[in-house]
Amino acid sequence: MENGERPADSAGLLPLFACSSPAEGLEEKLRRVREENRRLAATLGAILADHPHLRALATAPTTSAIAATATARTRSSSAANAAREEANAAREQTACVTVESRTKVRTVCARAEPCDSDANLSVKDGYQWRKYGQKVTRDNPYPRAYFRCAFAPSCPVKKKVQRDAEDTSMLVATYEGEHNHAQSPAKESARIDSTGYGQTGFLPCSVSVNSSSQMVTLDLANQLPGSSVESVSRKVLTPAFQKVLVEEMVNSLKNDAEFMQALTTAVAEKIVQNIPDL
DNA sequence: CGGATTTGACCTGCGC
DNA sequence: GCGCAGGTCAAATCCG
């Protein structure tokens, strides 16, 4: 939606809304979100241009594709070195994946929100996990959390999650073993968060924009088969997506009791100002 | 009140 | 055998 294209409201509240400062603040936020979306799309494009293997991953997000890429990258190094390599590479990319096929160990790097506490260390991947331990390791001041698959008691998969020591905005998750069951119900996978892992195995598949505490998620997991990151980037820039974005923000704000309170106060103040005798 | 999380204690493997 | 570090257990605590 372009600036100034506000739908008319039959109650005539919007003109009032438009001249109040909270509304101007919202428009400013909207502009910032649009700008961030453009920057994200540009960044994705640049990343894909520099990293052809990522383009392949984006086009065919299958376990075999991940394994093929990861095997090539980890062949000459130990699993630990691979994890470090991936952590470093992740500073240039948003997220990355390695697979050690022999031992069924996968390392996933994901960018975490800086505000996340250690207790929030969790890489959402479509499965439900139960934390069973936490330990501070020698080479990293941040605690390592140990998780077991909570969906099936007999499932042998374990997960370790630890904040990267050099780049604290990165989470390094190590998966051991393979699930012997289907993914857990939508409860967990629906909560795609800032770490951005959805339904397609361990491939990062969503981009989130956290603007002024409002989270907007572009879910790449639900793209049609064969769709690429470029096509998603183009989608971000379409008026239709922008419109959905705005509607999502409006819905979020409508459900925000604090915002509605502030809005009500602002409207009441305006009404009072427009009554000369008061 | 039941399930999830926390956290200190304990176990195990490895290098010296 | 000893010490260290990583991994796991389980009681206590938290939380919905």
Side-chain angles (χ1 to χ4, degrees):
Chain A
M1 191 189 301
E2 295 300 322
N3 292 339
E5 273 188 9
R6 274 177 239 86
D9 186 276
S10 58
L13 284 177
L14 271 177
L16 193 63
F17 181 80
C19 64
S20 63
S21 55
E24 288 170 1
L26 272 179
E27 288 183 355
E28 182 57 35
K29 283 180 188 175
L30 259 179
R31 276 193 292 274
R32 282 203 298 268
V33 169
R34 284 201 200 101
E35 197 53 45
E36 284 183 33
N37 273 334
R38 286 195 196 96
R39 279 202 299 271
L40 276 172
T43 303
L44 276 172
I47 289 171
L48 288 168
D50 292 343
H51 301 82
H53 63 284
L54 276 184
R55 187 186 299 270
L57 280 175
T59 309
T62 61
T63 305
S64 58
I66 295 167
T69 308
T71 303
R73 298 193 62 172
T74 57
R75 192 165 287 158
S76 61
S77 60
S78 68
N81 287 339
R84 175 61 56 195
E85 274 181 34
E86 293 301 330
N88 290 333
R91 290 185 194 107
E92 299 165 12
Q93 306 157 11
T94 299
C96 56
V97 182
T98 65
V99 179
E100 177 50 72
S101 56
R102 274 185 205 167
T103 55
K104 303 291 182 188
V105 174
R106 290 174 290 266
T107 302
V108 174
C109 306
R111 193 165 290 283
E113 292 299 320
C115 59
D116 280 353
S117 65
D118 288 336
N120 265 346
L121 285 180
S122 173
V123 175
K124 302 297 184 297
D125 48 25
Y127 292 93
Q128 286 182 273
W129 299 93
R130 170 176 295 192
K131 188 177 181 180
Y132 67 90
Q134 179 170 307
K135 192 84 175 179
V136 175
T137 56
R138 199 180 54 161
D139 55 346
N140 191 328
Y142 297 96
R144 174 183 295 169
Y146 298 89
F147 297 89
R148 281 200 188 94
C149 181
F151 183 58
S154 60
C155 181
V157 180
K158 290 174 187 173
K159 177 171 86 167
K160 291 179 282 189
V161 181
Q162 189 170 31
R163 200 175 282 276
D164 188 90
E166 293 174 10
D167 183 350
T168 58
S169 68
M170 293 302 303
L171 291 180
V172 180
T174 305
Y175 296 82
E176 293 178 29
E178 285 190 333
H179 293 278
N180 56 9
H181 56 86
Q183 281 191 338
S184 55
K187 175 187 171 187
E188 182 74 6
S189 53
R191 286 179 49 231
I192 296 172
D193 67 356
S194 59
T195 54
Y197 290 81
Q199 298 290 335
T200 51
F202 299 95
L203 191 72
C205 48
S206 77
V207 176
S208 297
V209 178
N210 191 347
S211 175
S212 305
S213 81
Q214 293 296 324
M215 184 70 75
V216 178
T217 300
L218 167 62
D219 188 356
L220 308 188
N222 295 329
Q223 296 305 303
L224 292 171
S227 66
S228 66
V229 172
E230 294 105 301
S231 69
V232 174
S233 303
R234 282 195 297 274
K235 185 181 171 185
V236 171
L237 295 175
T238 61
F241 183 85
Q242 299 283 331
K243 187 182 176 189
V244 170
L245 201 60
V246 171
E247 285 169 356
E248 283 297 319
M249 288 188 70
V250 169
N251 284 332
S252 290
L253 290 171
K254 270 175 16 189
N255 293 329
D256 186 337
E258 211 169 61
F259 171 77
M260 290 309 290
Q261 170 88 42
L263 179 60
T264 306
T265 305
V267 169
E269 282 175 5
K270 265 301 184 198
I271 291 173
V272 168
Q273 285 173 16
N274 288 340
I275 301 175
D277 291 337
L278 282 181

